[in-house]
Amino acid sequence: MSKKPQATNASILDTLAIPSQVMDAIVAADAALAAGPKISDAIAKNAKDMETAKAEFEQAADAQAHAEAAMCLIDDVAEAKRMEDAAVAAGVLAEEKHRTLDRLQRVGNALKEKSSTVDLEVRQAREWLISETAALRENAVRAIAQEIADAAQPLLAVLAKAHALMRTLPHRDLGMALAEVRIPNVLDFQTPFVDGDRLIFDGVAKSLATTWRDDPAALAIFEALKPIAEANQRLGKHQPYQTSQKATGSGYITHGAGISSKKVASIQAHRPQGAGQELNMEAVFGGDLAA
């Protein structure tokens, strides 16, 4: 198994250096974000001031209308003059309140436009930041991927020994554990560095089930334990010996002490007749006649 050169911390830090223009953009974006709450507070205050101004304007306009209506119903010149002055004063106040209401409305519209501008600035800053830091992000991820690959090398040496052990002294739990080993590739999650006994580096796939022989320590384990594996193979090929008796070439089936069925029939055909003269067949077959 070939080892990749170790990546240094300094080289990784170089990939993470933030360009000055990116830092300037972050400062500008933070300023836009900071303006947001201030604008929200100003809009809320403006809305409250407009409600007050509108109520004061309506009150002043009503006072002007009542004063002018009263003038139409008064015949006394002095009283009419007083009501006229009151109507003029009410009109001046109503006009002032109206101007205040108009000003607050214009301020409110300006604040809303400013809030939209800030929202746009924040959105554009985020999009720009994502775009400008894409290369930085890729370099950082590649550096981490290289570190993972480098850190995996000592583990691969251990896994090679484990595969060598499995070839000589198989172990169920060890085999299941080796099948579950997985080190993902952060650049391509679908193509991991290690997946079971598969190794994939720089797009080249290998198998620990065979490449373990390239590791001297793993090969030494195999050679040390090989006599046990070879003995197990020889023993596993052994076939049980045949212990049952096969039929004879004459076609006779033997009974007991080797006397054939035809011999039994011949003895029975020539045995003496009469009481006390029958042949004891059990003695002939040694007690195996019933069989």
Side-chain angles (χ1 to χ4, degrees), residues 60-118:
D62 287 343
Q64 179 185 10
H66 281 87
E68 291 178 351
M71 288 174 54
C72 300
L73 302 176
I74 298 175
D75 295 332
D76 182 74
V77 177
E79 182 65 16
K81 176 64 174 143
R82 187 182 69 78
M83 294 302 300
E84 181 181 2
D85 292 342
V88 171
V92 171
L93 182 60
E95 185 63 27
E96 179 183 346
K97 296 298 182 182
H98 189 267
R99 287 197 300 272
T100 299
L101 181 59
D102 285 344
R103 178 181 61 80
L104 290 174
Q105 287 177 336
R106 289 192 295 272
V107 171
N109 292 335
L111 287 172
K112 290 179 181 179
E113 290 179 3
K114 182 61 177 175
S115 67
S116 298
T117 300
V118 170

Side-chain angles (χ1 to χ4, degrees), residues 21-181:
Q21 65 269 25
V22 174
M23 293 301 301
D24 294 340
I26 291 175
V27 172
D30 286 339
L33 289 172
K38 295 179 180 179
I39 292 176
S40 296
D41 293 342
I43 290 176
K45 183 178 182 302
N46 176 263
K48 186 176 181 179
D49 291 343
M50 283 182 59
E51 291 180 1
T52 301
K54 183 177 180 181
E56 292 177 351
F57 165 70
E58 290 178 350
Q59 183 179 2
D62 287 343
Q64 179 185 10
H66 281 87
E68 291 178 351
M71 288 174 54
C72 300
L73 302 176
I74 298 175
D75 295 332
D76 182 74
V77 177
E79 182 65 16
K81 176 64 174 143
R82 187 182 69 78
M83 294 302 300
E84 181 181 2
D85 292 342
V88 171
V92 171
L93 182 60
E95 185 63 27
E96 179 183 346
K97 296 298 182 182
H98 189 267
R99 287 197 300 272
T100 299
L101 181 59
D102 285 344
R103 178 181 61 80
L104 290 174
Q105 287 177 336
R106 289 192 295 272
V107 171
N109 292 335
L111 287 172
K112 290 179 181 179
E113 290 179 3
K114 182 61 177 175
S115 67
S116 298
T117 300
V118 170
D119 290 341
L120 179 61
E121 290 175 354
V122 170
R123 184 169 66 253
Q124 289 178 337
R126 188 169 187 271
E127 293 174 353
W128 186 89
L129 192 63
I130 292 174
S131 174
E132 291 299 313
T133 58
L136 176 66
R137 180 173 58 251
E138 287 300 316
N139 290 338
V141 170
R142 290 184 181 279
I144 291 297
Q146 183 61 57
E147 280 206 25
I148 293 175
D150 294 338
Q153 293 297 336
L155 174 62
L156 295 180
V158 177
L159 294 178
K161 295 177 183 178
H163 278 280
L165 182 60
M166 286 294 295
R167 294 297 297 270
T168 52
L169 296 178
H171 188 277
R172 182 180 64 88
D173 291 341
L174 177 58
M176 293 175 63
L178 291 176
E180 292 297 324
V181 174

